[in-house]
């Protein structure tokens, strides 16, 4: 604990006891019960008013204070979740003495059972499973790290309503950088800004690992005291895992200095280490409902797993890139008599493995350099450093003069080095060099922090303003990224093999290279399966009302297994696979259990996207048939056939007979929606489901662009035909303006257009924003949502007509009356969008304008 007489230094924040503040935030109340959850021993000062309790609270029975049934439910929740780090949750919870409905969080810590009550805001009540599925589904489609970061920030801002959402990545020294941002249009950007490690004290970082979602409802720092603050033994109440834990005055002052009124953070944890944070800022006080916090917590965990998978994928890609080059080098060894001459002859090409300014080879006490390298007389000292530091593994520094003072003499040429050992002994190295870069770091304020005289005397306070402070790093190179270290490690493995086997003839080199490629694919397959297994564990908590845990988990695991099957085929078949093999895999468990399963159709291959979609659809059809249809009885007959249509589409028929009488479901479950909507939504195809009493009939149509037939395909162009036989122009290479006030809808359209080859999509949420965009950006075509909530897009339409830019209107309301008579000729597309109608409408508009190529 700090005292007013303690000297002010950078460790003060780390010594603030933020886990035992003695108070909570005022948007809820708290009861602390004994080990049996019978007696209340401490409470927040607002508990009586919020829970409608008369008289004292401490040393009274819980059931007397809130009612027998509510107390029973809380005890059960404690019994179920008390031993877990994750709190147990009770949604829409009622107590005896008030009509207020609460969301309740319960957990046990250090033998104390802590119960937190938060009044439910009916306006902000969102089913957490629905929201989390929406968010997770979107980022689950991201196959690139930059896309993942960008989409995550935009999705969370759209779903949670904060003014700014940022993704921080922490460096090894604890400093942070904003790598993604979604913000309100009038706010200054923090994207790319660096923040000093001292902004987040060590104690706070520990709590971020333990409690992954943190809410600050009001940066004014309002707090409600815990009564009493200390128990009879003099111990304060540890609130490490409490959602309501009050906020450090230092942190509140820091937020206020930025103008922030409320915040939320989601921890990003990889392999038990705090990789970064998703930070949400709001510029007014704001309480996020428990339902949305549940969704944010699940999103954060899935985001971390997706991040881990993509980082692993990046490593494998880097390794494969290096492997292709090194495979060729290995092949050349078999035809080259001297490995040293071979390595020296390839010195220039080694520079293609990663960004660098120079490459050096130290082999058999001989030095060869290319580009910007240290002078020859500096090599012995550098070699001595590497022999001591590398230890037979890849080693790098971006500040060579810090490790080798003599390097300051040539820091104008070389400031950083990455060393790749070529043997098990500390002797031979391939070296990559980078020259000095005046690296300007943008910090939020001076990292040394400023001192002020406050009410407690001399103490360290946050910055009073958020001004950019520049720090230039001298005698340092660009840092060596992890992906570059991974490439160096791949190079080390291959080059050690070259050195060890340079005298051998490698007649079977191509075969071995193929084996290495397959090993890489198997490694990727293994890693992704591990991620899928983790997803299975993450979402094994049912939230849907009226559905058993066992049923929900069984269905979800089956779907994930279907995706795993598709993934195996995509990996082993270089993308996609045969429809017949997929059908056989899905139906093989039922062959002996029913009278007849007939599967007929020509050979056809689905691409990776269609294969994954069909894996899910066939799994749902088979599962439903096994539960309720022809596969549930021994007399059942299933016929599955497919054919090639004249336009190369694939038409699939599923027909069940001999099973129980079929009745249409009263409501469509998730599996039925997958059958009915996956192919139309993901592939632009057709799914027709007929609940015939004699047996279920399903017709599926997969568009030709997703299938490959063994015979030569009819050549298709990017043109389609519409009613008047005019050709529809291609969208490839075009720039599109999208005026849409719903972020998630706009993102869907961006994805559709990207798949059609559109180069750029500029989005605007209002007419004002769109008109401002047109000052600096002239699109080739535009999509205008007619009704923007607070106005219409008609002013934008008039401006586009003046600029000679074709456009289409979109509406989900059928409100064509909003379109002026002068614009009645403009094509109108109905929402929700589908890729076929969208592309057709845009192509027709371009063709009408006479701008088609």
């Amino acid at each position: 604990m700090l005292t007013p007489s303690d000297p002010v230094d950078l460790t003060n924040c780390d010594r603030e006891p933020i886990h035992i503040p003695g108070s909570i935030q005022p948007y809820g109340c708290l009861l602390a019960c004994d080990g049996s959850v019978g007696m209340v021993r401490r409470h927040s000062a607002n508990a009586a008013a919020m829970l409608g309790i008369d008289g004292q609270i401490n040393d009274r029975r819980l059931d007397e204070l809130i009612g027998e049934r509510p107390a029973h439910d809380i005890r059960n929740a404690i019994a179920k979740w008390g031993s877990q780090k994750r709190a147990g949750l009770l949604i829409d919870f009622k107590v005896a003495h008030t009509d207020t409905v609460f969301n309740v969080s319960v957990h046990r810590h250090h033998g104390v059972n802590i119960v937190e009550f938060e009044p439910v805001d009916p306006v902000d009540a969102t089913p957490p499973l629905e929201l989390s599925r929406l968010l997770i589904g979107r980022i689950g489609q991201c196959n690139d790290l930059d896309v993942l970061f960008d989409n995550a920030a935009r999705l969370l801002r759209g779903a949670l309503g904060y003014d700014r959402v940022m993704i921080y990545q922490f460096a090894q020294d604890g400093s942070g950088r904003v790598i993604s941002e979604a913000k309100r249009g009038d706010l200054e950007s923090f994207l790319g800004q660096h923040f000093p490690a001292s902004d987040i004290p060590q104690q706070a970082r520990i709590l971020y690992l333990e409690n992954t979602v943190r809410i600050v409802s009001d940066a004014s720092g309002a707090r409600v005291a815990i009564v009493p603050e200390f128990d009879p033994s003099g111990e304060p109440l540890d609130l490490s895992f409490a959602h309501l834990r009050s906020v450090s005055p230092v942190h509140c002052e820091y937020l206020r200095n930025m103008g922030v009124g409320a915040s939320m953070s989601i921890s990003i944890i990889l392999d038990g280490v705090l990789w970064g944070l998703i930070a949400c800022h709001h510029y007014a006080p704001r309480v996020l409902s428990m339902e949305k916090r549940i969704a944010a917590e699940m999103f954060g965990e899935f985001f971390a797993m997706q991040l881990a998978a993509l980082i692993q994928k990046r490593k494998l890609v880097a390794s494969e890139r290096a492997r292709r080059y090194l495979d060729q080098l290995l092949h050349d060894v078999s035809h080259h008599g001297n490995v040293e001459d071979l390595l020296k002859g390839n010195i220039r090409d080694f520079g293609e493995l990663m960004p660098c300014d120079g490459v050096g080879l130290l082999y058999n006490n001989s030095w060869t350099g290319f580009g910007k390298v240290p002078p020859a007389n500096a090599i012995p000292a550098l070699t001595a450093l590497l022999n001591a530091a590398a230890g037979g593994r890849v080693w790098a520094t971006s500040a060579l003069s810090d490790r080798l003072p003599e390097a300051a003499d040539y820091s104008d040429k070389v400031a950083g080095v990455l060393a790749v050992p070529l043997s098990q002994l500390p002797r031979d190295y391939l070296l990559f060099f980078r020259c000095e870069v005046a690296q300007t770091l943008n910090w939020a304020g001076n990292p040394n922090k400023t001192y002020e005289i406050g009410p407690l005397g001399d103490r360290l306070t946050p910055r009073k303003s958020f001004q950019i402070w520049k720090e230039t790093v001298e005698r340092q190179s660009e840092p060596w990224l992890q992906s570059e270290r991974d490439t160096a490690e791949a190079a080390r493995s291959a080059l050690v093999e070259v050195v060890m086997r340079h005298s051998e003839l490698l007649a079977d080199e191509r075969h071995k290279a193929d084996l290495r490629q397959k090993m890489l694919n198997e490694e990727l397959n293994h890693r992704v399966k591990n991620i899928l297994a983790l997803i299975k564990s993450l979402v094994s908590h049912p939230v849907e009302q009226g559905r058993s845990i066992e049923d929900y988990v069984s269905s979800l695991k089956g779907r994930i297994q279907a995706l795993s099957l598709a993934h195996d085929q995509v990996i082993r078949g270089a993308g996609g696979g045969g429809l017949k093999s997929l059908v056989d895999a899905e139906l093989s468990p039922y062959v002996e259990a029913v009278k007849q399963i007939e599967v007929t159709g020509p050979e056809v291959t689905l691409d990776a996207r269609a294969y994954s979609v069909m894996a899910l659809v066939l799994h749902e059809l088979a599962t439903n048939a096994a539960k309720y249809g022809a596969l549930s009885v021994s007399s059942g007959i299933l016929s599955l056939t497919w054919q090639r249509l004249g336009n190369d589409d694939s038409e699939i028929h599923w027909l069940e007979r001999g099973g129980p009488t079929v009745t249409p479901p009263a409501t469509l479950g998730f599996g039925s929606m997958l059958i009915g909507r996956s192919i139309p939504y993901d592939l632009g195809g057709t799914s027709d489901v007929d609940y015939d009493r004699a047996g279920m009939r399903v017709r599926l149509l997969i568009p030709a662009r997703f299938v490959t037939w063994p015979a030569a395909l009819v050549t298709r162009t990017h043109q389609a035909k519409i009613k008047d036989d005019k050709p529809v122009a291609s969208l490839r290479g075009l720039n599109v303006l999208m005026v849409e006030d719903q972020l998630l809808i706009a993102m869907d359209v961006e994805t559709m257009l990207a798949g059609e080859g559109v180069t750029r999509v500029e989005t605007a949420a209002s007419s004002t924003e769109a008109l401002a965009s047109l000052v600096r950006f002239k699109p080739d075509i535009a999509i205008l949502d007619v009704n923007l909530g607070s106005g219409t897009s008609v002013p934008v339409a008039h401006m586009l007509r003046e600029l000679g830019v074709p456009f289409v209107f979109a509406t989900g309301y059928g409100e064509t009356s909003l379109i002026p008579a002068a614009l009645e000729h403009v094509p109108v597309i109905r929402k929700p969008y589908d890729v076929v109608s969208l592309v057709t409408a845009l192509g027709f508009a371009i063709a009408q304008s006479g701008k088609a190529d």
Side-chain angles (χ1 to χ4, degrees), residues 696-718:
M696 189 171 176
R697 297 170 177 265
V698 181
R699 174 183 174 271
L700 307 174
L701 186 70
I702 302 177
R705 65 180 179 275
F706 297 105
V707 301
T708 302
W709 301 97
L713 292 176
V714 177
T715 302
R716 296 189 299 269
T717 70
H718 290 285

mmCIF file of all heavy atoms in Angstrom, residues 696-718:
data_model
loop_
_atom_site.group_PDB
_atom_site.id
_atom_site.type_symbol
_atom_site.label_atom_id
_atom_site.label_comp_id
_atom_site.label_asym_id
_atom_site.label_seq_id
_atom_site.Cartn_x
_atom_site.Cartn_y
_atom_site.Cartn_z
ATOM 1 N N MET A 696 -39.475 -37.265 -46.422
ATOM 2 C CA MET A 696 -38.948 -35.938 -46.719
ATOM 3 C C MET A 696 -38.303 -35.900 -48.104
ATOM 4 O O MET A 696 -37.591 -36.820 -48.513
ATOM 5 C CB MET A 696 -37.908 -35.567 -45.657
ATOM 6 C CG MET A 696 -37.431 -34.149 -45.715
ATOM 7 S SD MET A 696 -36.422 -33.775 -44.267
ATOM 8 C CE MET A 696 -35.890 -32.114 -44.650
ATOM 9 N N ARG A 697 -38.587 -34.807 -48.864
ATOM 10 C CA ARG A 697 -37.980 -34.578 -50.170
ATOM 11 C C ARG A 697 -37.174 -33.290 -50.114
ATOM 12 O O ARG A 697 -37.668 -32.280 -49.624
ATOM 13 C CB ARG A 697 -39.048 -34.417 -51.261
ATOM 14 C CG ARG A 697 -39.938 -35.615 -51.506
ATOM 15 C CD ARG A 697 -41.079 -35.215 -52.433
ATOM 16 N NE ARG A 697 -41.932 -36.322 -52.781
ATOM 17 C CZ ARG A 697 -41.803 -37.056 -53.888
ATOM 18 N NH1 ARG A 697 -40.830 -36.761 -54.748
ATOM 19 N NH2 ARG A 697 -42.615 -38.053 -54.143
ATOM 20 N N VAL A 698 -35.980 -33.320 -50.633
ATOM 21 C CA VAL A 698 -35.142 -32.120 -50.669
ATOM 22 C C VAL A 698 -34.499 -32.022 -52.042
ATOM 23 O O VAL A 698 -33.951 -33.011 -52.555
ATOM 24 C CB VAL A 698 -34.044 -32.149 -49.584
ATOM 25 C CG1 VAL A 698 -33.205 -30.873 -49.646
ATOM 26 C CG2 VAL A 698 -34.652 -32.304 -48.200
ATOM 27 N N ARG A 699 -34.564 -30.841 -52.632
ATOM 28 C CA ARG A 699 -33.878 -30.573 -53.896
ATOM 29 C C ARG A 699 -32.846 -29.478 -53.661
ATOM 30 O O ARG A 699 -33.178 -28.407 -53.159
ATOM 31 C CB ARG A 699 -34.865 -30.119 -54.966
ATOM 32 C CG ARG A 699 -34.184 -29.690 -56.283
ATOM 33 C CD ARG A 699 -35.211 -29.177 -57.281
ATOM 34 N NE ARG A 699 -34.558 -28.637 -58.478
ATOM 35 C CZ ARG A 699 -34.174 -27.357 -58.607
ATOM 36 N NH1 ARG A 699 -34.385 -26.502 -57.610
ATOM 37 N NH2 ARG A 699 -33.599 -26.947 -59.719
ATOM 38 N N LEU A 700 -31.607 -29.752 -53.996
ATOM 39 C CA LEU A 700 -30.515 -28.806 -53.824
ATOM 40 C C LEU A 700 -29.917 -28.488 -55.192
ATOM 41 O O LEU A 700 -29.754 -29.387 -56.026
ATOM 42 C CB LEU A 700 -29.423 -29.389 -52.914
ATOM 43 C CG LEU A 700 -29.883 -29.921 -51.560
ATOM 44 C CD1 LEU A 700 -28.713 -30.595 -50.848
ATOM 45 C CD2 LEU A 700 -30.467 -28.812 -50.686
ATOM 46 N N LEU A 701 -29.581 -27.232 -55.404
ATOM 47 C CA LEU A 701 -28.962 -26.819 -56.664
ATOM 48 C C LEU A 701 -27.685 -26.045 -56.358
ATOM 49 O O LEU A 701 -27.715 -25.015 -55.686
ATOM 50 C CB LEU A 701 -29.922 -25.938 -57.472
ATOM 51 C CG LEU A 701 -29.421 -25.564 -58.883
ATOM 52 C CD1 LEU A 701 -29.434 -26.785 -59.776
ATOM 53 C CD2 LEU A 701 -30.284 -24.454 -59.478
ATOM 54 N N ILE A 702 -26.541 -26.565 -56.842
ATOM 55 C CA ILE A 702 -25.246 -25.918 -56.634
ATOM 56 C C ILE A 702 -24.830 -25.274 -57.948
ATOM 57 O O ILE A 702 -24.710 -25.958 -58.976
ATOM 58 C CB ILE A 702 -24.184 -26.928 -56.181
ATOM 59 C CG1 ILE A 702 -24.637 -27.626 -54.894
ATOM 60 C CG2 ILE A 702 -22.846 -26.244 -55.967
ATOM 61 C CD1 ILE A 702 -23.687 -28.693 -54.419
ATOM 62 N N PRO A 703 -24.602 -23.961 -57.963
ATOM 63 C CA PRO A 703 -24.238 -23.274 -59.212
ATOM 64 C C PRO A 703 -22.949 -23.819 -59.822
ATOM 65 O O PRO A 703 -22.062 -24.323 -59.123
ATOM 66 C CB PRO A 703 -24.083 -21.813 -58.774
ATOM 67 C CG PRO A 703 -24.926 -21.695 -57.556
ATOM 68 C CD PRO A 703 -24.810 -23.017 -56.859
ATOM 69 N N ALA A 704 -22.867 -23.679 -61.131
ATOM 70 C CA ALA A 704 -21.765 -24.276 -61.889
ATOM 71 C C ALA A 704 -20.401 -23.765 -61.462
ATOM 72 O O ALA A 704 -19.399 -24.479 -61.564
ATOM 73 C CB ALA A 704 -21.973 -24.011 -63.384
ATOM 74 N N ARG A 705 -20.322 -22.521 -60.975
ATOM 75 C CA ARG A 705 -19.004 -21.977 -60.653
ATOM 76 C C ARG A 705 -18.342 -22.670 -59.471
ATOM 77 O O ARG A 705 -17.154 -22.484 -59.217
ATOM 78 C CB ARG A 705 -19.093 -20.475 -60.393
ATOM 79 C CG ARG A 705 -19.896 -20.066 -59.175
ATOM 80 C CD ARG A 705 -19.904 -18.545 -59.034
ATOM 81 N NE ARG A 705 -20.678 -18.077 -57.905
ATOM 82 C CZ ARG A 705 -21.981 -17.874 -57.905
ATOM 83 N NH1 ARG A 705 -22.677 -18.103 -59.007
ATOM 84 N NH2 ARG A 705 -22.609 -17.424 -56.828
ATOM 85 N N PHE A 706 -19.113 -23.483 -58.742
ATOM 86 C CA PHE A 706 -18.551 -24.182 -57.592
ATOM 87 C C PHE A 706 -18.268 -25.655 -57.875
ATOM 88 O O PHE A 706 -17.823 -26.369 -56.980
ATOM 89 C CB PHE A 706 -19.509 -24.087 -56.393
ATOM 90 C CG PHE A 706 -19.742 -22.686 -55.908
ATOM 91 C CD1 PHE A 706 -20.936 -22.033 -56.181
ATOM 92 C CD2 PHE A 706 -18.768 -22.012 -55.195
ATOM 93 C CE1 PHE A 706 -21.156 -20.744 -55.741
ATOM 94 C CE2 PHE A 706 -18.983 -20.722 -54.750
ATOM 95 C CZ PHE A 706 -20.167 -20.076 -55.032
ATOM 96 N N VAL A 707 -18.560 -26.124 -59.095
ATOM 97 C CA VAL A 707 -18.398 -27.543 -59.392
ATOM 98 C C VAL A 707 -17.524 -27.729 -60.623
ATOM 99 O O VAL A 707 -17.399 -26.843 -61.468
ATOM 100 C CB VAL A 707 -19.769 -28.231 -59.613
ATOM 101 C CG1 VAL A 707 -20.641 -28.079 -58.395
ATOM 102 C CG2 VAL A 707 -20.473 -27.674 -60.839
ATOM 103 N N THR A 708 -16.910 -28.913 -60.716
ATOM 104 C CA THR A 708 -16.085 -29.285 -61.875
ATOM 105 C C THR A 708 -16.527 -30.661 -62.332
ATOM 106 O O THR A 708 -16.532 -31.625 -61.553
ATOM 107 C CB THR A 708 -14.595 -29.320 -61.508
ATOM 108 O OG1 THR A 708 -14.205 -28.029 -61.020
ATOM 109 C CG2 THR A 708 -13.752 -29.671 -62.720
ATOM 110 N N TRP A 709 -16.912 -30.747 -63.596
ATOM 111 C CA TRP A 709 -17.325 -32.022 -64.189
ATOM 112 C C TRP A 709 -16.148 -32.620 -64.954
ATOM 113 O O TRP A 709 -15.292 -31.896 -65.450
ATOM 114 C CB TRP A 709 -18.507 -31.814 -65.142
ATOM 115 C CG TRP A 709 -19.705 -31.217 -64.468
ATOM 116 C CD1 TRP A 709 -20.065 -29.912 -64.446
ATOM 117 C CD2 TRP A 709 -20.687 -31.912 -63.697
ATOM 118 N NE1 TRP A 709 -21.216 -29.725 -63.720
ATOM 119 C CE2 TRP A 709 -21.626 -30.956 -63.238
ATOM 120 C CE3 TRP A 709 -20.879 -33.257 -63.349
ATOM 121 C CZ2 TRP A 709 -22.719 -31.287 -62.466
ATOM 122 C CZ3 TRP A 709 -21.988 -33.594 -62.571
ATOM 123 C CH2 TRP A 709 -22.889 -32.632 -62.138
ATOM 124 N N PRO A 710 -16.096 -33.929 -65.081
ATOM 125 C CA PRO A 710 -14.934 -34.544 -65.756
ATOM 126 C C PRO A 710 -14.827 -34.172 -67.219
ATOM 127 O O PRO A 710 -13.744 -34.045 -67.755
ATOM 128 C CB PRO A 710 -15.183 -36.050 -65.579
ATOM 129 C CG PRO A 710 -16.647 -36.181 -65.257
ATOM 130 C CD PRO A 710 -17.025 -34.936 -64.531
ATOM 131 N N ALA A 711 -15.961 -33.961 -67.895
ATOM 132 C CA ALA A 711 -15.910 -33.558 -69.300
ATOM 133 C C ALA A 711 -15.538 -32.095 -69.393
ATOM 134 O O ALA A 711 -15.605 -31.341 -68.429
ATOM 135 C CB ALA A 711 -17.261 -33.800 -69.960
ATOM 136 N N ALA A 712 -15.125 -31.660 -70.609
ATOM 137 C CA ALA A 712 -14.743 -30.259 -70.792
ATOM 138 C C ALA A 712 -15.926 -29.362 -70.494
ATOM 139 O O ALA A 712 -17.063 -29.628 -70.885
ATOM 140 C CB ALA A 712 -14.273 -30.041 -72.227
ATOM 141 N N LEU A 713 -15.669 -28.279 -69.787
ATOM 142 C CA LEU A 713 -16.720 -27.355 -69.406
ATOM 143 C C LEU A 713 -17.035 -26.405 -70.542
ATOM 144 O O LEU A 713 -16.161 -26.016 -71.310
ATOM 145 C CB LEU A 713 -16.293 -26.541 -68.174
ATOM 146 C CG LEU A 713 -16.155 -27.325 -66.872
ATOM 147 C CD1 LEU A 713 -15.645 -26.399 -65.784
ATOM 148 C CD2 LEU A 713 -17.480 -27.932 -66.459
ATOM 149 N N VAL A 714 -18.286 -26.013 -70.634
ATOM 150 C CA VAL A 714 -18.672 -24.972 -71.578
ATOM 151 C C VAL A 714 -18.094 -23.658 -71.090
ATOM 152 O O VAL A 714 -18.181 -23.326 -69.912
ATOM 153 C CB VAL A 714 -20.215 -24.877 -71.659
ATOM 154 C CG1 VAL A 714 -20.624 -23.748 -72.590
ATOM 155 C CG2 VAL A 714 -20.781 -26.207 -72.130
ATOM 156 N N THR A 715 -17.436 -22.925 -71.977
ATOM 157 C CA THR A 715 -16.806 -21.671 -71.576
ATOM 158 C C THR A 715 -17.851 -20.688 -71.087
ATOM 159 O O THR A 715 -18.869 -20.470 -71.731
ATOM 160 C CB THR A 715 -16.048 -21.054 -72.746
ATOM 161 O OG1 THR A 715 -15.088 -22.008 -73.185
ATOM 162 C CG2 THR A 715 -15.356 -19.775 -72.331
ATOM 163 N N ARG A 716 -17.619 -20.113 -69.898
ATOM 164 C CA ARG A 716 -18.540 -19.116 -69.347
ATOM 165 C C ARG A 716 -17.814 -17.793 -69.227
ATOM 166 O O ARG A 716 -16.642 -17.747 -68.893
ATOM 167 C CB ARG A 716 -19.044 -19.545 -67.949
ATOM 168 C CG ARG A 716 -19.868 -20.812 -67.979
ATOM 169 C CD ARG A 716 -20.518 -21.043 -66.619
ATOM 170 N NE ARG A 716 -19.549 -21.209 -65.570
ATOM 171 C CZ ARG A 716 -19.064 -22.390 -65.201
ATOM 172 N NH1 ARG A 716 -19.444 -23.474 -65.810
ATOM 173 N NH2 ARG A 716 -18.195 -22.472 -64.232
ATOM 174 N N THR A 717 -18.497 -16.708 -69.474
ATOM 175 C CA THR A 717 -17.940 -15.371 -69.309
ATOM 176 C C THR A 717 -18.519 -14.759 -68.071
ATOM 177 O O THR A 717 -19.342 -15.352 -67.367
ATOM 178 C CB THR A 717 -18.254 -14.486 -70.523
ATOM 179 O OG1 THR A 717 -19.644 -14.198 -70.514
ATOM 180 C CG2 THR A 717 -17.893 -15.180 -71.821
ATOM 181 N N HIS A 718 -18.115 -13.551 -67.767
ATOM 182 C CA HIS A 718 -18.643 -12.827 -66.625
ATOM 183 C C HIS A 718 -19.929 -12.088 -66.970
ATOM 184 O O HIS A 718 -20.372 -11.240 -66.208
ATOM 185 C CB HIS A 718 -17.608 -11.824 -66.106
ATOM 186 C CG HIS A 718 -16.452 -12.503 -65.461
ATOM 187 N ND1 HIS A 718 -16.512 -13.066 -64.221
ATOM 188 C CD2 HIS A 718 -15.194 -12.731 -65.923
ATOM 189 C CE1 HIS A 718 -15.357 -13.594 -63.912
ATOM 190 N NE2 HIS A 718 -14.534 -13.412 -64.927
#
